[in-house]
Amino acid sequence: MEPAVRAAAASCSSYSSLHPPRALVARRLGRSSGLSLPARRVAVAAAAIALDPFQETKSEQNDTSETEVFACPVCYEPLIRKGPPGMNLPAIYRSGFKCSKCNKSFTSKDVFLDLTVTSGMKEYSELKPARTELFRSPLVSYLYERGWRQNFNRSGFPGRDEEFQMAQDYFQSVAGGILVDVSCGSGLFSRKFASSGAYSSVIALDFSENMLRQCYDYIKQEETPMNTNLALVRADISRLPFASCSIDAIHAGAAIHCWPSPSNAIAEISRVLKPGGVFVATTFLSTPTNSGLFSIDALKPLRQIVGPVNSSYNFFTEGELEDLCRSCGLVNYSSKVQRSFIMFSGQKP
């Protein structure tokens, strides 16, 4: 550093306790100082650091780590991220995530970021009910968009494009925000939400590692730009890895009937939604075909005893879904029904 530059920086440092305005600093380091233009620039930077000795440290921290929307699934504290910013696949792959409170680290070395409680464990692997484990199968993950999902139209599901547009209509009030597609499967709707450009970020979230890998394969096949704001996250629907009141929109397509505890899951969804945030889901209504005699009102109490043994899935009446949403604090319940298909929505007050 030139002697004149050191002198200018020292001069500003002596005034730091008085917090002089930037204009005064500029005049002191202006043309009258006799410094060359490059030297003046160095002097201004040095003076800024002298005025705020923490500025350089803050700048370095912002380059390497930042608090994201992600939270620790153990204690719900925000995760500290070290690596390139952004909610796209390459940025997350190159980043490290750690909870500053419980000191747990989470890996993003796979094509997805693993934010389950069991992430990083070597010996213990948690098993879920059969209806959940089924979708962790590589075969089911492969077949899901290759015939499995198309069979839903027999129950009244209108199809991917129409279901997407119906959900978009519900999400109009939160356009531009962060959307999480929970139990996303192979990303059937996650990819459409991301490609729509209607959201600042889209997070495709599922418990199945193979479903997320299949989603990644579809992204590559469809030549979706890898820097699209789409992230793949492995997480438990009953332990969502997001800070409270941090998410604008949550979508769950044909999923709630597979969840081990729908009440816990919707309570979690309510927790992470921002005030005004919107939850939209589709599922199969309870019918004699999928629920047998348990679809009859008088026999519903027996479903608590026999149902879990008799069926791999939970099916609901519309009244039960509305009651479930309201019990978890969601308001403005709305629904659209077509045979045994239902799309319903609730809002965080």
Side-chain angles (χ1 to χ4, degrees), residues 218-294:
Y218 279 125
I219 291 172
K220 291 191 298 182
Q221 292 171 19
E222 295 169 358
E223 298 183 351
T224 302
M226 296 299 284
N227 60 355
T228 299
N229 285 342
L230 173 61
L232 306 185
V233 173
R234 181 174 183 245
D236 187 337
I237 186 62
S238 294
R239 200 77 184 173
L240 291 175
F242 306 111
S244 298
C245 303
S246 63
I247 304 298
D248 299 279
I250 294 181
H251 174 263
I256 187 174
H257 53 275
C258 300
W259 294 346
S261 175
S263 60
N264 285 351
I266 295 183
E268 270 292 86
I269 287 169
S270 180
R271 177 185 68 81
V272 304
L273 279 175
K274 293 179 180 178
V278 177
F279 169 52
V280 175
T282 60
T283 189
F284 299 87
L285 288 173
S286 177
T287 67
T289 301
N290 59 35
S291 301
L293 294 175
F294 301 115

Side-chain angles (χ1 to χ4, degrees), residues 17 47 49 51 84 99 105 108 124 161 164 181 199 226 255 267 284 286 288 306 337 341 345:
S17 61
I49 294 172
L51 291 172
C99 177
S105 297
S108 55
Y124 177 75
D161 292 340
F164 168 74
D181 188 19
Y199 309 95
M226 296 299 284
F284 299 87
S286 177
V306 184
V337 176
F341 161 82
S345 174

Side-chain angles (χ1 to χ4, degrees), residues 171 178-193 201-206 212 230-231 233 237 242 247 249-253 255 280:
F171 286 139
I178 298 173
L179 180 145
V180 181
D181 188 19
V182 298
S183 297
C184 68
S186 56
L188 184 71
F189 292 101
S190 308
R191 306 191 310 269
K192 289 186 74 68
F193 285 127
S201 300
V202 173
I203 300 172
L205 182 148
D206 205 284
L212 293 169
L230 173 61
V233 173
I237 186 62
F242 306 111
I247 304 298
I250 294 181
H251 174 263
V280 175

Side-chain angles (χ1 to χ4, degrees), residues 82 88-97 105-115 118-122 209 212-213 216 232-234:
K82 187 172 183 180
N88 56 71
L89 295 174
I92 289 181
Y93 178 82
R94 294 164 54 199
S95 297
F97 296 83
S105 297
F106 299 90
T107 177
S108 55
K109 65 182 180 180
D110 211 327
V111 298
F112 54 83
L113 171 61
D114 191 342
L115 292 180
T118 57
S119 175
M121 289 188 178
K122 296 180 180 179
E209 305 91 324
L212 293 169
R213 293 186 184 108
Y216 182 78
L232 306 185
V233 173
R234 181 174 183 245

